[in-house]
């Protein structure tokens, strides 16, 4: 009977933010798109779920839908203790490193330990604000979205920003400025992300977890990830190739100099003999 219940088709309502690329966005017709949407569609197909989407322009309204039970789930959200008060989480579908980003020419900030005395750019409602707003040794400028924050960093209005690494790296590549922004040191934190389900629906939570367990290990997951975040960066980038070539040339020069020195020493010995 339990198996029959799990396989029985069910309609659910998913609430999503209008804009948090590449997790969430809307296409020209106003329909939700993004990494989180593709993952939910793939999981829903495995779990016999039919999804209807509700798009909210304010993140607080997304959370309100889960608090009040007017939506069944949010496809992808950071798993944090305070959110467990009004939603249950599936097993993670993704892990976000929350990293410090600086201008490529910035040599003053090498990691999270160097933030004191500098100006941070932060997006309204972001992890960075929740984590660092209490520090008196950091000046904070708040922006409406990541795009404004990134422009401020490039223009020198802020010294650093803190944001999910994969999202910032993708935005920088899309804007053609990935060579002007770099990650400073190790992540400030790591946040696991899963599907947030309204409280009081353990059957839906179980159905989703069963499907997610097989999906995240499937090739389809990697294809969806690469579609929205891009394939993993190749190890042999142009700069690394240049340095590798320089190292080879240096080794050859040293080897030739050593061989010449030994040849001269041997010749001198012969002449002396």
């Amino acid at each position: 009977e339990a198996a029959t219940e799990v396989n029985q088709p069910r309609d659910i309502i998913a609430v999503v933010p209008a804009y948090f690329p590449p997790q969430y966005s809307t296409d020209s017709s106003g329909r939700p798109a993004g990494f989180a949407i593709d993952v939910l569609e793939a999981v829903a197909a495995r779990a016999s779920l039919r999804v209807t989407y509700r798009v909210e322009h304010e993140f607080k309204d997304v959370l309100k839908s889960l608090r009040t039970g007017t939506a069944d789930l949010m496809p992808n959200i950071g798993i944090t203790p305070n959110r467990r008060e009004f939603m249950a989480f599936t097993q993670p579908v993704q892990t976000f490193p929350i990293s410090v980003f600086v201008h490529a020419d910035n040599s003053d900030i090498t990691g999270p330990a160097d933030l004191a005395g500098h100006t941070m750019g932060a997006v309204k409602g972001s992890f960075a604000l929740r984590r660092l707003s209490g520090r008196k040794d950091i000046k904070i400028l708040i922006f409406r979205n990541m795009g404004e924050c990134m422009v401020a960093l490039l223009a020198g209005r802020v010294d650093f920003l803190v944001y999910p690494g994969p999202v910032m790296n993708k935005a920088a590549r899309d804007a053609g400025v990935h060579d002007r922004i770099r990650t400073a040191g190790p992540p400030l934190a790591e946040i696991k992300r899963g599907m947030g389900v309204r409280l009081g629906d353990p059957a839906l939570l179980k159905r989703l977890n069963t499907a997610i367990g097989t999906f995240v290990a499937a090739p389809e997951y990697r294809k969806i990830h690469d579609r929205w975040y891009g394939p993993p960066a190749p190890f042999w980038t142009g700069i690394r190739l240049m340095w590798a070539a320089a190292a080879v040339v240096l080794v050859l020069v040293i080897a030739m100099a050593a061989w010449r020195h030994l040849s001269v020493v041997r010749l001198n010995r012969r002449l002396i003999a």
Side-chain angles (χ1 to χ4, degrees), residues 119-159:
T119 301
M120 176 181 76
V123 177
K124 180 181 178 181
S126 67
F127 171 87
L129 277 179
R130 295 194 299 272
R131 181 68 175 265
L132 300 174
S133 60
R135 289 186 56 167
K136 304 301 182 182
D137 56 348
I138 295 175
K139 180 180 178 181
I140 300 176
L141 297 183
I142 302 174
F143 299 90
R144 291 178 300 176
N145 54 58
M146 179 186 60
E148 292 182 358
C149 203
M150 183 167 59
V151 169
L153 178 67
L154 294 173
R157 292 180 58 199
V158 300
D159 301 312

Side-chain angles (χ1 to χ4, degrees), residues 9 34 66-68 71 129 176 195 241 259:
L66 294 170
R67 286 181 183 274
T68 59
L129 277 179
M195 296 187 185
L241 284 172
W259 176 81

